[in-house]
Amino acid sequence: MSPEPVAPAPERAVLDKAAHENFPVAPFFLPRAWRADLMAVYGFARLVDDIGDGDLAPGGADAVLLGLDRAQAGDRLAMLDALEADLRRVYSDRAPGPRHPLMRRLGPTVRRCALSPEPFVRLIAANRQDQQITRYPAYTDLLDYCELSANPVGRLVLGITGTTTPERVRRSDAICTALQIVEHIQDVAEDLRRDRIYLPAEDMKRFGVSETDLAAPRGGAQVRALVAFEAERARDLLNEGAPLVGSVHGRLKLLLSGFVAGGRAALHAVAAADHDVLPGPPKPSKLGLLRAVGATLRREG
């Protein structure tokens, strides 16, 4: 078998981040075509998030690749607009085609799997929203955000693997929303440094938590109680979505169990830290993740 092609920078800088996610993105046991397609979708999703978070590699290379000036690399809305224009080139038969190498990588996946542009457009819309909305009054508002920022990813996985059904989409949405909430729980301190709070304001009020409390080096009892409350919501969503694992077979079952197990292992790490996420995001160990995968397969298989 020929080795995987080596991606050039800045493409490689984005793809290498897959190793740091809470769940396996494109593990070795999947068919080679699935791995390539999943990494193509991951590259797009990670690029969108890096633009929205201001986490692109310095120097403005991504801006130039998208047809902008280096000076526009810091204009996140302009970058997102340029990325959406490049996405339209992926779906067009007209020359010259996509500019960014990650978008060129996406093209064969879109055609092979007949993926619609809607999930990709929603991911861009979520990051536009991040530039304009930094607080969420109610849990329902956060769920609406997850419909843009997280659920499209699961729908793309189902599209790549040819397993889309209405019931699987519903289960997938629950898992993806849960994983997004878990990430928000882990990253409370980092998000606050970006002037974003994804903990619903109504919940903060209920538990007597202020923004000043979230800026402390360690979480007090009220902050930890709030985090525990949101973690339980995420756990319930994971349980709601977990039957998705049992609805598929073979290596896809193992992949989806990894997604569910990644969320469960992360929640276990949060609980092990006594729900104090302010010093830094609690992360599961590799052993903890493997145990969670085994438990998920036993429960849902």
Side-chain angles (χ1 to χ4, degrees):
M1 180 180 294
S2 59
E4 296 282 350
V6 177
E11 184 181 3
R12 185 175 63 252
V14 173
L15 296 175
D16 284 350
K17 295 181 181 181
H20 304 290
E21 301 292 346
N22 277 333
F23 49 85
V25 173
F28 70 92
F29 55 78
L30 293 178
R32 184 182 180 89
W34 281 9
R35 294 202 311 271
D37 292 335
L38 290 169
M39 285 304 297
V41 166
Y42 174 81
F44 173 86
R46 186 71 265 167
L47 178 61
V48 177
D49 282 352
D50 285 352
I51 291 173
D53 292 341
D55 285 343
L56 293 172
D62 290 284
V64 172
L65 287 168
L66 290 171
L68 301 177
D69 296 331
R70 291 183 186 275
Q72 293 177 280
D75 186 337
R76 299 180 191 180
L77 288 173
M79 289 283 289
L80 290 169
D81 287 346
L83 185 64
E84 185 166 354
D86 218 28
L87 176 65
R88 288 196 293 271
R89 296 185 192 100
V90 171
Y91 284 87
S92 173
D93 294 330
R94 298 174 59 183
R99 296 174 182 270
H100 199 287
L102 286 169
M103 306 302 283
R104 292 196 293 271
R105 176 185 284 253
L106 185 63
T109 292
V110 162
R111 292 186 289 274
R112 182 163 51 242
C113 304
L115 301 177
S116 80
E118 181 183 3
F120 301 107
V121 172
R122 283 176 172 263
L123 292 173
I124 294 173
N127 279 272
R128 284 202 186 95
Q129 184 167 312
D130 277 335
Q131 312 314 309
Q132 300 159 336
I133 299 176
T134 59
R135 305 293 188 275
Y136 289 84
Y139 181 59
T140 53
D141 298 310
L142 186 63
L143 293 180
D144 289 343
Y145 171 73
C146 292
E147 183 66 26
L148 297 175
S149 68
N151 298 358
V153 176
R155 297 183 185 201
L156 287 167
V157 171
L158 294 177
I160 286 170
T161 57
T163 53
T164 301
T165 67
E167 178 64 10
R168 285 177 179 145
V169 167
R170 186 180 73 82
R171 299 288 188 184
S172 172
D173 285 354
I175 293 169
C176 291
T177 293
L179 293 176
Q180 180 76 87
I181 292 173
V182 170
E183 184 177 323
H184 289 160
I185 290 170
Q186 291 175 301
D187 293 341
V188 168
E190 179 182 339
D191 289 335
L192 187 61
R193 287 193 290 272
R194 303 181 192 272
D195 192 30
R196 297 179 191 163
I197 297 177
Y198 294 102
L199 301 171
E202 63 181 8
D203 298 341
M204 291 176 62
K205 182 178 180 180
R206 172 182 173 182
F207 285 90
V209 173
S210 69
E211 293 192 16
T212 301
D213 294 327
L214 299 182
R218 301 198 69 88
Q222 292 161 306
V223 171
R224 287 184 281 112
L226 171 60
V227 170
F229 176 73
E230 305 300 349
E232 189 61 27
R233 277 178 160 167
R235 185 174 292 106
D236 288 344
L237 283 168
L238 281 173
N239 291 339
E240 179 184 339
L244 176 65
V245 174
S247 77
V248 299
H249 305 282
R251 287 177 281 187
L252 180 57
K253 182 190 291 288
L254 189 55
L255 175 69
L256 297 183
S257 71
F259 294 161
V260 174
R264 286 174 170 164
L267 287 173
H268 180 78
V270 169
D274 197 20
H275 298 97
D276 186 5
V277 297
L278 299 189
K283 296 286 188 178
S285 66
K286 290 184 178 179
L287 179 59
L289 177 58
L290 288 173
R291 285 175 173 168
V293 169
T296 298
L297 286 171
R298 288 192 298 273
R299 186 184 311 176
E300 307 298 340

